[in-house]
Structure formats: structure tokens, C-alpha cells
Amino acid sequence: MTLPPDPQPETLPPETAAPGAPRDPAGIAPLEHALRLAEALVFASDRPVAPERLQAVLPEGLRAEAVLTLLAARYAGRGVELTEVAGGYAFRTAADLAPVLTRVVETPRRLPRVAMEALAIIAYHQPVTRPEIEEIRGTSLSQATLELLLEQALIAPRGRKEVPGRPTLWATTPRFLEQFGLRGLTDLPRREELLAGEAGPTLPDMAPPA
């Protein structure tokens, strides 16, 4: 009886190694260790992990971007997938499973309609002042609505506009991108989609980032 050959260790793609880094003669690097480090860091982090954060803990000679890409490939098709969001990477439930899970997982709290309207205006017109938000909405905006968006860490002040009174300029935050599953502002959906009722994204209770 012929025994099957031993499984070959996963080889390191050339693009994974940093330019000029020393290479193992057999073409094998501590890739598994790097993948485990990336997996642990993403799992433990309270925000998407940027490649720069991972790079600080990787073995010398490995590129964080390539390691994260390989990790994402490993999780592709699983119940939890590694997704690029808000300038980093985070684990997210597979999109095709979300409708099933909503039956057994508590539905997160949604923002009130007025807060979603204000948030959409800020997202598409940022940086924008409160009077400008009110002009676009066609109605006044309460301080309570602004405070709610601030508490959820979805918006933040971005200086003041150089006009009489120097009103505060408002813009969205990385937490906004993370919560709506966006890699960047260029991925914003149409405003109508952002404001869609039951089909729209939900915003769970969450504390502002430290």
C-alpha cells in the first residue's frame, strides 16, 4: 500500500514579501504565523484593522496588505467573512446569511428618520454647517438630533466655516463608514438607498471610540 505524500506547506506568494526582505531558500516563510496574527488582531479589535496596525506585529519581511488579502481569501464563502471597510479589515456576517439571522438575532436600534436625514445630508455635502443642513432639509434641525449623531460617533466637527458667526462644520467619521459597511465615501449609495426604510442599514447602540 502506497502512503499519500505529506501535505506541502503553504508557500509564500512573491508579492507577500516586502521588497528586499530576506527569503527562505525553500520559498517558504512564516505565513501561517502571520495569518494567525492577522486573524487574532482583527477578531480582538474594536474597529477595522488598518494594514499599518498589522504591519507592526508581523514577522520581518511580510507585507500586511498581502497577508490580509490571503486571510480574506481563506474566509471567503464562510459564515463570517473578512471584509474591507472604513480603511481597514473587519469580520462581518456573510451577506447571504443576514436574512436568516434576523429571525433569531435581536434587531439593532435604528436611528430616527430625522437623524438619518441629517446624517445623509452630512455624508453627501460634508463638510457642512447646521444652517446648511437645515436649508437642504427645508426645516430646522434640533440640537438633540446632532447630539444623537455625536453620541453614536457617526459625525464629528471639522473646524469652522469662515463666514460671519463662524458656524461649526460637520463631517462623517470612520465609524460611519464602518457601521454602513463602506470602504470609503466613494462607496456611498444613492441618498434614497441610505434613507430607505426597512431595507436601509441599521445602527446598533454603541459607545464612541476611545
Side-chain angles (χ1 to χ4, degrees):
M1 178 177 179
T2 303
L3 294 177
D6 292 334
Q8 295 299 312
E10 188 166 0
T11 57
L12 182 68
E15 65 273 12
T16 309
R23 297 298 304 277
D24 186 271
I28 301 172
L31 181 57
E32 286 300 323
H33 179 58
L35 288 168
R36 292 181 67 223
L37 278 173
E39 184 179 37
L41 180 59
V42 174
F43 179 80
S45 181
D46 62 348
R47 63 186 188 276
V49 173
E52 294 78 13
R53 288 182 64 200
L54 175 61
Q55 192 68 61
V57 299
L58 284 181
E60 183 179 356
L62 294 180
R63 295 176 57 249
E65 294 87 349
V67 171
L68 287 165
T69 298
L70 288 172
L71 186 62
R74 281 197 173 186
Y75 272 86
R78 297 187 181 184
V80 174
E81 297 180 335
L82 187 64
T83 305
E84 187 177 0
V85 57
Y89 289 78
F91 286 121
R92 291 288 186 267
T93 303
D96 62 304
L97 299 181
V100 179
L101 294 182
T102 54
R103 304 172 189 169
V104 294
V105 177
E106 183 179 354
T107 303
R109 181 170 65 89
R110 294 177 181 270
L111 284 175
R113 177 77 180 187
V114 62
M116 280 298 300
E117 289 178 352
L119 182 59
I121 291 171
I122 294 171
Y124 287 97
H125 298 272
Q126 60 186 306
V128 61
T129 66
R130 180 173 172 179
E132 289 169 341
I133 297 171
E134 293 176 334
E135 181 179 355
I136 295 170
R137 289 189 67 233
T139 183
S140 61
L141 179 66
S142 70
Q143 183 64 27
T145 297
L146 273 179
E147 290 176 355
L148 175 60
L149 296 176
L150 279 167
E151 289 170 4
Q152 296 286 351
L154 298 171
I155 65 170
R158 290 291 183 269
R160 294 182 177 275
K161 191 168 185 176
E162 295 301 327
V163 296
R166 301 186 72 243
T168 300
L169 288 164
W170 298 99
T172 56
T173 63
R175 181 60 65 92
F176 166 80
L177 297 175
E178 177 185 353
Q179 189 57 48
F180 283 83
L182 305 173
R183 290 177 296 178
L185 293 176
T186 55
D187 292 333
L188 276 171
R190 292 181 304 169
R191 184 180 170 191
E192 294 77 11
E193 295 174 358
L194 192 65
L195 290 172
E198 292 301 316
T202 57
L203 299 169
D205 294 315
M206 55 186 177

